[in-house]
Amino acid sequence: QQPVQSPQAVILREGEDAVINCSSSKALYSVHWYRQKHGEAPVFLMILLKGGEQKGHEKISASFNEKKQQSSLYLTASQLSYSGTYFCGTEGGNDYKLSFGAGTTVTVRA
Amino acid sequence: NAGVMQNPRHLVRRRGQEARLRCSPVKGHSHVYWYRQLPEEGLKFMVYLQKENIIDESGMPKERFSAEFPKEGPSILRIQQVVRGDSAAYFCASSPGTAGVRYEQYFGPGTRLTVT
């Protein structure tokens, strides 16, 4: 089942912060975050695994609340290059595939 | 290192024709995923393959669509008798590892299919 992302869109000025949320109705084993710029391929940002393990981008942080089946991606001191659509992908443990949310479009302005 | 390669990047087909989309995974990756993306929408899982095996095709329409990942050569997504609703971007992703999605997926640049 597709996870729900919020907000759908956010507009920031350079240097501002934002939080993108991803919620699932089922138990999760892992959450993946990707960013896609218009007309390009999605680019990997981060994986969060059940149990607390994380790996990914140095300048972007995320959290994973296993009990609430939620993940949040934190964009701190945003830069123009942060603009794009952010997708979370969730995996339920036995699926071996990702279900992606509808995306959150982030626009960072100078 | 070469990333995931997809070709063609753009494909135009008339209704009723066949479309063949190719994906070469990152060297050494044996797991391939295909996704479809409609404009302004998210990625929809279609099929997950390992070499010579279809692991999960639950996201693929039962008719007209097929996928393979042979022992040698690229993975192929085939759409027979295309209709206008098949117009979309099709992305292929590959990953290392032997346990599904505990590893990041590397996406190719996509094939944009237009059905006229």
Side-chain angles (χ1 to χ4, degrees):
Chain A
Q1 198 162 359
Q2 188 178 10
V4 176
Q5 284 186 238
S6 63
Q8 286 186 319
V10 60
I11 298 175
L12 301 167
R13 289 187 185 270
E14 268 188 299
E16 291 183 339
D17 303 338
V19 179
I20 301 171
N21 299 304
C22 174
S23 298
S24 175
S25 60
K26 64 178 185 179
L28 300 177
Y29 184 91
S30 68
V31 179
H32 297 223
W33 287 95
Y34 290 81
R35 178 173 62 210
Q36 184 180 32
K37 294 186 183 281
H38 187 70
E40 298 182 7
V43 174
F44 167 75
L45 294 176
M46 180 162 293
I47 291 178
L48 302 104
L49 298 173
K50 187 176 180 179
E53 184 181 349
Q54 295 185 16
K55 57 177 178 177
H57 205 285
E58 288 181 358
K59 294 187 177 180
I60 294 176
S61 62
S63 62
F64 179 19
N65 187 324
E66 297 167 27
K67 287 186 179 178
K68 291 188 176 180
Q69 296 153 198
Q70 292 176 347
S71 177
S72 295
L73 186 73
Y74 304 97
L75 304 180
T76 304
S78 57
Q79 304 171 17
L80 293 175
S81 62
Y82 287 9
S83 291
T85 301
Y86 289 76
F87 294 99
C88 69
T90 57
E91 185 240 344
N94 294 322
D95 294 342
Y96 299 108
K97 64 178 184 278
L98 292 176
S99 296
F100 282 94
T104 296
T105 301
V106 173
T107 304
V108 181
R109 294 181 175 162
Chain B
N1 287 330
V4 176
M5 298 173 65
Q6 289 188 249
N7 66 80
R9 295 290 307 275
H10 299 274
L11 182 62
V12 179
R13 285 286 178 265
R14 292 183 178 173
R15 279 179 297 170
Q17 291 185 320
E18 178 179 286
R20 270 196 195 205
L21 288 62
R22 293 174 183 78
C23 168
S24 296
V26 173
K27 188 176 180 181
H29 287 190
S30 58
H31 301 253
V32 167
Y33 303 82
W34 284 93
Y35 296 90
R36 177 162 64 178
Q37 186 176 40
L38 295 171
E40 311 304 323
E41 294 189 9
L43 297 152
K44 301 292 186 190
F45 167 81
M46 298 182 73
V47 61
Y48 163 39
L49 310 106
Q50 293 180 22
K51 286 280 187 181
E52 299 184 278
N53 283 308
I54 298 175
I55 307 302
D56 187 330
E57 57 182 347
S58 59
M60 203 145 71
K62 300 227 182 294
E63 297 179 355
R64 303 188 298 108
F65 285 72
S66 62
E68 62 177 10
F69 188 16
K71 186 177 180 181
E72 300 291 339
S75 175
I76 306 284
L77 178 68
R78 182 185 305 169
I79 310 173
Q80 296 177 302
Q81 299 176 329
V82 296
V83 300
R84 288 219 172 108
D86 296 333
S87 295
Y90 292 83
F91 288 96
C92 163
S94 73
S95 73
T98 58
V101 291
R102 279 63 169 173
Y103 302 88
E104 60 265 39
Q105 295 188 10
Y106 296 81
F107 280 81
T111 293
R112 278 146 187 86
L113 173 66
T114 302
V115 179
T116 61

